[in-house]
Amino acid sequence: MSPNTIESVLQEERLFSPPVSFSKNARIKTWEAYQELYEKARSDPESFWAEIAERELHWFKKWDKVLDWKPPFAQWFVGGQLNLCYNCLDRHLDGDRRDKPALIWEGEPGDCRIITYAQLHREVCEMANALKHLGVRKGDRVGIYLPMIPEAAIAMLACARIGAPHTVVFGGFSAEALKDRLLDANAKVLITADGGWRKEDIVHLKQQVDRALADDKVPSIEHVIVVRRTGHPIHIEPGRDLWWDDLQEEASDQCPAEPMDSEDPSFILYTSGTTGKPKGVVHTTGGYNLYTHLTTQWVFDLQENDVFWCTADVGWITGHSYIVYGPLSNGATILMYEGAPRPSNPGCLWDLIEKHRVTIFYTAPTAIRLFIKMGEELPKARDLSSLRLLGTVGEPINPSAWMWYHRVIGGERCPIVDTWWQTETGGIMITPLPGVTKTKPGSATFPFPGIIADVVDLDGNPVGENQGGYLVIKYPWPSMIRTVYKNPDRYRSTYWENIPPKNGEYMYFTGDGARRDRDGYLWVMGRIDDVINVAGHRLGTMEVESALVSHPAVAEAAVVGKPSELKGEEIIAFITLEDSYTPSEELKKELKNRVVEEIGALARPEDIQFCEALPKTRSGKIVRRLLRSLAAGEEVTGDTSTLEDRSVLDRLRNV
Ligand code: ATP
Ligand code: MG
């Protein structure tokens, strides 16, 4: 076994074909059609992308050159001019879509707004004018720190309209994390709200803003725009803070969309920080617009009457690409929900599907694990028959969670698209196409047309069938990261130098481990940083965890390596249990046996720790690097600023 690769130990043989009735009406109907598209994009990427860009987007000025690739820096549609907001709104106003709902929004307290394309356009123009009035010019950065309310989408689109890159900071982040991001982005204006609703409680956003900006800690910020949401008393800093509704009232609703160069930045977004300090990922305009537009269409098989619900927060890339830009560029109807499952009505998400006849539902494994924990009675008590397609993103999904999603939410009739991608990739990269791809639970299946994915060793050589290695992308794609903001060196070293170019071919390093099975399916095995080395066997976290999660007692599992003189590392598993189970030595033994049965003795956890919760990022991903320090008995020294709940760590220390 080469030290360069990862061993695969778990077999998953189940296979699910798309329902015939789904394929018949799908945008891409046959496997041959996918292969043809894939082959066309592979052999002549520039004409492939140029044709689609021409057909699908509105350009103020056509490009001179499709791709300028000076590794590791790519430019797409060089010389072309367009506007992301124009493509999302203005071009839908001429026909039937004018009065079509663009955004259906549900607040936690039960308030609901339905905003048509024409109305959204008007509100966006007003806010764009308000920003201009405050001195925001093309190229100035605007911070957005909002709950999941329509104003979040309006603010983003307003920035795009005037060419001011936004940096959206997830509304659950602390003052400290907000300050760091505003400082790094050097933002001129910040858009926030008095508060937001989450789990029937107020999230005090404005208070965090006041803390983040106190003592002029972020000197670049000139104004704070405050949306009135919760209506509770807040501090208003004279001269700095302004109410959103006042500004909107004063502003004209006519605001031309600024022609942007294709390569002008559209936004900066910080990664989730699962592996360390977050990176400020820079995306640009033309390629990003095109790729999110096309992936929304093909991956979600978007049809005119769909109601598309992506449950991510707009503070993550998933929210950027598949709540706002991708769906709106296609003239779709999106659903947006302010909060989380509410204590008084934990099934409220299913109520929304029933009420609004949602057809496409896109969520994360962490949410699915929560749904499983809450029990299938909740979804079963609602009418979910409007659903026709399900999606997941964010982490590898354990096959048992996939099966639950398929059975309970999808009623065994909805294809599931397990979409692998990253903040850096801008859009979905590896995914089934729902009308044509036979799915295997836990596999993201095949690359999207135009994406040349491979699994290689550290020297860049492709590894064999079922051998785990490093997931890389071998050719630029339109929505790829352009650089790390103000830090091109970090861009180069993080993504392009871990694996040396081979025969002039540069490889984008994803940081994830993967394998390809005998049918060519790609399986993401977890992060490279989290690989465990037991007696010379390098194991990915996903497979060992999947064996544990397949036991009915286990809600969530995270495995890490603990240094061992004998074996190099031994496996320690952190487990949260389903409500009806209690920790016991007996159960530990049973779980260890489960791993031995499913995988073999080499993956047998040396120890199992039951805990109430696992440390997660604010975007819901399990942070194994901190568990690794805990298991080793070390001080936890890594970056903890992106943790959802720091007290989880303290509680784990006392186990
Ligand atoms: P950081 O880069 O700061 O450590 P992060 O990688 O968690 O944080 P994101 O860009 O939000 O930041 O997440 C992308 C990562 O999420 C991928 O690299 C992969 O590890 C994981 N991921 C996303 N979707 C999937 C999926 N469908 N299957 C497996 N893993 C996935
Ligand atoms: Mg990452």
Side-chain angles (χ1 to χ4, degrees), residues 176-197:
E176 186 70 16
L178 173 63
K179 182 204 73 185
D180 288 347
R181 286 162 180 73
L182 294 175
L183 267 179
D184 192 63
N186 220 15
K188 189 165 184 174
V189 166
L190 174 63
I191 305 178
T192 188
D194 48 0
W197 290 102

Side-chain angles (χ1 to χ4, degrees), residues 271 275 279 422 424 510 527:
T271 58
T275 54
K279 302 163 279 262
Q422 311 178 298
E424 294 89 338
T510 65
R527 317 235 171 202

Side-chain angles (χ1 to χ4, degrees), residues 271-275 279 394-396 418-419 422-423 512 527 621:
T271 58
S272 293
T274 314
T275 54
K279 302 163 279 262
E395 288 177 290
D418 173 357
T419 61
Q422 311 178 298
T423 310
D512 287 337
R527 317 235 171 202
K621 297 166 199 259

Side-chain angles (χ1 to χ4, degrees), residues 220-475:
S220 60
I221 294 280
E222 293 172 10
H223 289 288
V224 177
I225 302 175
V226 187
V227 179
R228 221 183 289 271
R229 167 63 187 138
T230 44
H232 71 290
I234 53 163
H235 167 76
I236 288 288
E237 183 75 25
R240 185 194 72 183
D241 300 352
L242 303 155
W243 288 104
W244 170 289
D245 25 357
D246 292 348
L247 290 171
Q248 223 179 15
E249 211 161 284
E250 289 157 19
S252 140
D253 60 7
Q254 302 291 316
C255 175
E258 183 77 30
M260 301 297 290
D261 283 334
S262 178
E263 279 300 323
D264 278 337
S266 54
F267 60 87
I268 304 165
L269 183 64
Y270 294 83
T271 58
S272 293
T274 314
T275 54
K277 194 172 177 296
K279 302 163 279 262
V281 171
V282 177
H283 282 291
T284 58
T285 307
Y288 177 80
N289 192 166
L290 176 66
Y291 195 77
T292 51
H293 177 96
L294 188 72
T295 45
T296 306
Q297 239 181 50
W298 289 0
V299 176
F300 299 105
D301 184 48
L302 196 69
Q303 313 276 346
E304 192 60 41
N305 293 323
D306 273 319
V307 177
F308 183 41
W309 187 9
C310 165
T311 67
D313 192 280
V314 287
W316 312 122
I317 189 68
T318 308
H320 282 55
S321 300
Y322 300 108
I323 295 178
V324 181
Y325 294 119
L328 296 180
S329 180
N330 281 285
T333 298
I334 55 176
L335 178 79
M336 191 175 186
Y337 172 58
E338 180 178 25
R342 295 195 295 277
S344 65
N345 178 11
C348 58
L349 267 57
W350 315 124
D351 285 339
L352 295 185
I353 293 183
E354 181 176 306
K355 176 176 171 190
H356 296 291
R357 307 298 295 159
V358 171
T359 55
I360 306 170
F361 183 67
Y362 187 34
T363 194
T366 185
I368 296 170
R369 296 189 302 254
L370 178 70
F371 301 149
I372 297 174
K373 210 170 156 63
M374 292 193 303
E376 61 183 79
E377 305 71 41
L378 295 176
K380 285 213 162 135
R382 275 81 177 181
D383 174 10
L384 305 185
S385 62
S386 57
L387 289 174
R388 63 182 197 91
L389 177 62
L390 303 177
T392 146
V393 58
E395 288 177 290
I397 182 165
N398 302 124
S400 60
W402 193 102
M403 289 302 299
W404 187 94
Y405 197 31
H406 167 71
R407 180 174 59 81
V408 180
I409 307 304
E412 297 182 358
R413 84 184 167 271
C414 302
I416 296 180
V417 287
D418 173 357
T419 61
W420 177 90
W421 58 297
Q422 311 178 298
T423 310
E424 294 89 338
T425 67
I428 294 167
M429 303 287 279
I430 301 176
T431 176
L433 294 181
V436 309
T437 311
K438 293 182 182 160
T439 49
K440 299 186 184 187
S443 167
T445 73
F446 299 96
F448 192 80
I451 303 306
I452 313 296
D454 205 352
V455 183
V456 301
D457 65 18
L458 264 187
D459 303 319
N461 301 308
V463 301
E465 182 181 300
N466 272 326
Q467 242 185 18
Y470 300 81
L471 179 63
V472 295
I473 312 295
K474 290 183 157 174
Y475 193 77

